Amino acid sequence: MTGRDNIYREFRNENGEGDAPYLAWMAEHPEGFVLQTRKKPDPGYMIFHSARCKSIRPPTRSNKPSPFTAEGFIKICSEEIGDLLDFARAHGFNDEPVQRNCCKRFFDPMMFLDSAVLAEVTGPRPRSLLFDLSMKAKIAGRECPDVIEERRRTYQRSEEVASYAKAAAEGKCVVCDEPVPQDLDPMQFLDCHHIIFLRDSGPDTRENVVGVCPNCHRRLHVSPDDQLVGRLLRTAKERAAELDRQD
C-alpha cells in the first residue's frame, strides 16, 4: 500500500496481506470511491466505483483467497473522486471515466470535469465539511428512492400506557423540564419513553414510562445516562404510587 500525502491509498496485495487492508478501508469509508485498474496502471482500463458498489465488496462468487486485490489488479481508494481522477490522469487517462452500471447513480458528470474547468463553472471550491457532505448528498440523492422491504422485530405497546405517560408529564418534558409550545397539544408533541428499553426486557407499565420531548427522547436512546435512568425510574414509580393512593 502506498499513498500521496494520505490523499489516496493503493491496495496491491504485493506482500501477501490479502484483501484485509482493502476491506478495512472500505468499512471505514462507506461514502468513498474506488478506482480499479491493472497493477501497471492501464489508461484503457480504469473503472470508477462507489465504495457502496456490491461488485467490489463481499460477498463474492469467487473462491479465490483475495478476489479483490489479486489477478493483476489493484484498487486505488479515496474519500474524494477528484483524487482518483488526478491519479488516473497522471497515468495517461483522458477519457470520460468508465463506471459499472451498478454505480452510475452515485456519480454526477460535474465530478469528472477538470479542476480548472470546474472552478470556471462553479467558482472556487471551499473545502469545508459541509461542502463535502453537500456534494456526497447531491450524488447519492434520488428523486425516486428504491423501496426496500425489511423484516423488523417490534414490541406491542399499550396506547393507554403511552397516553398516561404523556398526561403525567403535565405539559412539560420530564427530562429537560421545558414546557410544550403553547400552540401544540402535549399529547401529540410529547413521546412516551420506556426508561428500561423494551429490547432490554423493560416492561410496558406505568412504572417504566415517562413523557419526554422529541429531542430528549433521541438523547436518551443515543446516549443513555445511568444516573438519569435511575432518576426517571424513581419519578415514574413515585408518580404511579401517588395516583394509586388516590384510588
Side-chain angles (χ1 to χ4, degrees):
M1 295 177 291
T2 61
R4 175 171 58 83
D5 298 328
N6 294 323
I7 292 176
Y8 62 78
R9 294 189 64 182
E10 298 180 28
F11 297 94
R12 293 177 169 270
N13 191 15
E14 292 180 337
N15 300 316
E17 68 269 32
D19 288 337
Y22 164 70
L23 295 177
W25 188 95
M26 294 283 281
E28 294 173 3
H29 303 87
E31 302 300 321
F33 299 93
V34 177
L35 167 63
Q36 178 171 306
T37 187
R38 306 188 193 281
K39 287 199 173 180
K40 183 179 180 181
D42 179 359
Y45 182 80
M46 293 200 173
I47 301 177
F48 293 74
H49 294 266
S50 160
R52 287 177 283 173
C53 177
K54 294 180 180 179
S55 69
I56 57 170
R57 60 190 311 133
T60 176
R61 296 179 180 178
S62 175
N63 295 322
K64 297 175 182 178
S66 301
F68 300 107
T69 56
E71 299 298 318
F73 298 104
I74 60 173
K75 297 290 195 296
I76 317 296
C77 302
S78 177
E79 295 183 26
E80 297 293 336
I81 189 69
D83 299 331
L84 301 186
L85 285 167
D86 289 343
F87 174 94
R89 287 167 179 150
H91 290 83
F93 179 86
N94 292 311
D95 299 326
E96 180 182 351
V98 178
Q99 309 134 37
R100 291 297 190 194
N101 290 334
C102 51
C103 294
K104 285 186 177 179
R105 69 174 182 270
F106 298 126
F107 291 88
D108 186 296
M110 291 289 287
M111 299 171 67
F112 302 116
L113 291 177
D114 180 83
S115 57
V117 176
L118 183 61
E120 292 179 4
V121 175
T122 63
R125 285 185 63 182
R127 302 302 297 176
S128 67
L129 174 61
L130 178 59
F131 179 84
D132 288 341
L133 292 174
S134 175
M135 290 299 98
K136 290 177 181 178
K138 178 181 177 181
I139 297 163
R142 305 183 212 171
E143 293 293 336
C144 298
D146 295 338
V147 176
I148 300 175
E149 295 185 3
E150 296 180 337
R151 295 184 62 184
R152 297 180 58 190
R153 182 182 181 185
T154 59
Y155 296 88
Q156 186 173 359
R157 296 164 170 81
S158 166
E159 294 184 6
E160 289 78 9
V161 171
S163 296
Y164 160 79
K166 298 173 184 181
E170 297 181 336
K172 59 184 179 180
C173 174
V174 174
V175 174
C176 66
D177 209 38
E178 286 293 321
V180 173
Q182 293 183 355
D183 58 336
L184 298 177
D185 181 356
M187 298 298 286
Q188 294 182 349
F189 178 80
L190 293 174
D191 293 336
C192 171
H193 172 64
H194 290 80
I195 305 166
I196 299 175
F197 300 158
L198 296 180
R199 67 169 182 264
D200 294 332
S201 301
D204 186 32
T205 63
R206 298 177 305 164
E207 292 79 8
N208 190 46
V209 294
V210 287
V212 296
C213 69
N215 284 343
C216 288
H217 198 189
R218 183 65 175 167
R219 171 192 166 194
L220 289 165
H221 281 271
V222 172
S223 181
D225 181 298
D226 290 342
Q227 290 187 346
L228 180 57
V229 167
R231 177 171 71 82
L232 294 179
L233 281 173
R234 289 192 297 273
T235 298
K237 291 177 180 178
E238 290 172 0
R239 180 64 173 172
E242 178 184 348
L243 292 169
D244 284 346
R245 287 193 292 270
Q246 299 176 14
D247 189 358

